[in-house]
């Protein structure tokens, strides 16, 4: 089997150094390194590229995968650890008490918060640990946890990426449509019916607004959810071209952010980096990706003129 090329290394370098990337940013980077070939129109090339990377990462028990942020419907790509011991995913940085604190918050969010998938800051601090506020801040900064749009604390994108097997082994109710854990989901209004469906999956389950919206288990009419009408009516799926959720950056801001991240990485990069350091060709590819991401906005302005 041929070794990974600089293109594969560029994708891995971006994910390892910057953490999980939104689908828009990841697709823009792929387009830049593949000579303008967008994943939407070159799906086979995109799939083959990710498969080749995963074949190599498999020897190290790592995996490049996509998941959806259940709070805003945004698709992300990231590199995750496939070792069955979920605590090992935090072990390289966090102490044993801090891991226990995270697990306490995780269980509170997925078991005690119902279908809301979030708890208040006060409830989070009920889980006792020394320096708990500092640990909570670090978990949010590292994206294991995140603030929701309501100001509560929910799971971060790294939790959604890494803890898929934990959700299944702990019998977390799954979404009726996509079969992923229903952490933040809509539930059937009939008492005793445990069917859950993600807000973004409702658009796929009930695409016609005036059509019947019967619960797939008890046939009770499914209530309209706040935010369900947002977007174009199609649910995001990993690998698709769905629009990002309300937290997505505008193209100009995203371009500035990518440039700032690249400058910061250049200062911090060292010989111990897990993937070979970027060549000038890799750096140009990432800059091109940022420019490509802002292209729709410039095109739109020209049309207006």
């Amino acid at each position: 089997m041929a070794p990974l090329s600089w293109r594969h290394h560029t994708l891995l370098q971006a994910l390892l150094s910057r953490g999980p990337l939104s689908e828009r940013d990841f697709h823009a980077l792929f387009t830049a390194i593949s000579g303008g070939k967008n994943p939407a129109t070159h799906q086979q090339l995109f799939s083959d590229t990710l498969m080749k990377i995963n074949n190599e990462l498999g020897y190290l028990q790592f995996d490049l995968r996509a998941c959806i942020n259940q709070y805003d419907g945004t698709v992300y790509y990231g590199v995750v650890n496939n070792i069955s011991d979920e605590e090992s995913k935090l072990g390289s940085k966090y102490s044993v008490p801090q891991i226990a604190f995270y697990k306490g918050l995780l269980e509170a969010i997925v078991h005690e918060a119902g279908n809301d998938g979030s708890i208040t800051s006060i409830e989070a601090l009920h889980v006792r640990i020394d320096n708990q506020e500092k640990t909570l801040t670090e978990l949010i900064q590292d994206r294991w946890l995140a603030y929701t749009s309501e100001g509560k604390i929910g799971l971060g994108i790294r939790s959604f990426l890494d803890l898929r097997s934990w959700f299944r082994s702990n019998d977390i109710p799954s979404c009726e449509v996509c079969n992923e854990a229903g952490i933040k989901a809509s539930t059937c209004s009939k008492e005793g019916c445990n069917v859950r469906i993600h807000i973004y999956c409702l658009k796929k389950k009930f695409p016609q607004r005036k059509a019947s919206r019967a619960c797939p288990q008890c046939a009770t009419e499914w209530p309209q959810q706040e935010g369900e009408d947002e977007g174009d009516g199609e649910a995001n799926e990993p690998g698709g071209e769905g629009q990002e959720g309300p937290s997505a950056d505008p193209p100009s801001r995203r371009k500035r952010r990518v440039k700032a991240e690249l400058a910061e990485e250049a200062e911090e990069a060292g010989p111990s980096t897990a993937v070979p350091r970027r060549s000038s060709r890799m750096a140009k590819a990432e800059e091109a990706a940022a420019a490509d991401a802002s292209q729709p906005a410039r095109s739109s302005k020209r049309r207006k003129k």
Side-chain angles (χ1 to χ4, degrees):
M1 179 181 296
L4 297 181
S5 70
W6 70 269
R7 294 178 176 83
H8 300 100
H9 284 305
T10 300
L11 293 175
L12 278 173
Q13 176 70 43
L15 293 173
L16 292 175
S17 62
R18 293 154 57 184
L21 294 176
S22 68
E23 181 180 54
R24 180 174 297 181
D25 287 344
F26 190 69
H27 281 192
L29 178 58
F30 179 86
T31 301
I33 66 174
S34 60
K37 297 177 181 178
N38 191 292
T41 54
H42 295 80
Q43 296 180 7
Q44 189 61 51
L45 175 63
F46 183 68
S47 297
D48 291 345
T49 300
L50 299 193
M51 183 179 297
K52 183 173 180 58
I53 292 175
N54 277 329
N55 286 340
E56 297 296 329
L57 289 179
Y59 294 110
L60 303 175
Q61 299 189 54
F62 282 87
D63 186 32
L64 194 167
R65 70 172 59 149
C67 78
I68 299 178
N69 183 333
Q70 297 189 18
Y71 301 100
D72 62 14
T74 304
V75 177
Y76 284 85
Y77 287 84
V79 175
V80 302
N81 183 1
N82 282 329
I83 297 177
S84 59
D85 181 5
E86 302 299 338
E87 293 180 1
S88 65
K89 297 178 171 62
L90 294 170
S92 61
K93 174 179 179 179
Y94 295 96
S95 65
V96 173
Q98 287 177 318
I99 294 173
F101 178 66
Y102 170 75
K103 292 193 70 176
L105 295 177
L106 175 64
E107 291 175 357
I109 291 171
V110 302
H111 289 300
E112 301 172 16
N115 66 323
D116 184 61
S118 62
I119 57 178
T120 65
S121 298
I122 295 177
E123 291 171 332
L125 295 178
H126 285 169
V127 181
R128 305 305 301 175
I129 184 180
D130 293 336
N131 298 321
Q132 57 186 183
E133 292 187 13
K134 179 182 177 182
T135 299
L136 181 60
T137 299
E138 290 180 355
L139 289 168
I140 291 173
Q141 290 176 342
D142 291 341
R143 303 166 80 182
W144 290 103
L145 300 175
Y147 283 113
T148 68
S149 58
E150 294 83 14
K152 294 184 176 181
I153 295 175
L155 299 184
I157 191 60
R158 292 185 68 180
S159 292
F160 286 120
L161 279 166
D162 278 59
L163 302 184
R164 183 178 295 172
S165 60
W166 188 91
F167 295 144
R168 292 172 179 170
S169 62
N170 283 268
D171 298 323
I172 306 303
S174 60
C175 171
E176 185 72 19
V177 176
C178 68
N179 204 35
E180 293 291 339
I183 307 299
K184 172 68 173 177
S186 172
T187 57
C188 179
S189 59
K190 183 177 180 180
E191 185 176 356
C193 183
N194 297 319
V195 173
R196 293 188 181 191
I197 302 178
H198 297 126
I199 302 298
Y200 46 83
C201 287
L202 283 173
K203 302 173 185 178
K204 183 176 180 180
K205 181 68 176 177
F206 307 118
Q208 303 298 325
R209 297 181 182 179
K210 296 183 179 181
S212 174
R213 295 167 55 92
C215 170
Q217 180 169 304
C218 68
T220 300
E221 185 70 9
W222 203 280
Q224 189 81 13
Q225 302 295 311
E226 182 179 355
E228 190 178 342
D229 290 332
E230 296 177 358
D232 58 4
E234 295 183 1
N236 283 348
E237 292 184 358
E241 280 294 295
Q243 296 296 314
E244 289 186 8
S247 64
D249 289 340
S252 59
R253 183 182 302 173
R254 182 168 58 254
K255 183 177 180 180
R256 292 194 298 271
R257 172 170 54 80
V258 171
K259 286 185 176 179
E261 290 171 350
L262 290 173
E264 183 178 348
E265 290 169 25
E267 294 179 357
E268 297 179 353
S272 61
T273 306
V275 182
R277 296 177 65 181
R278 289 193 304 275
S279 64
S280 60
R281 182 165 46 175
M282 291 182 182
K284 290 180 180 179
E286 292 196 357
E287 291 176 358
D292 182 73
S294 63
Q295 186 63 34
R298 295 198 298 269
S299 300
S300 177
K301 290 181 181 179
R302 288 198 295 269
R303 285 197 299 269
K304 288 182 179 180
K305 292 180 181 180

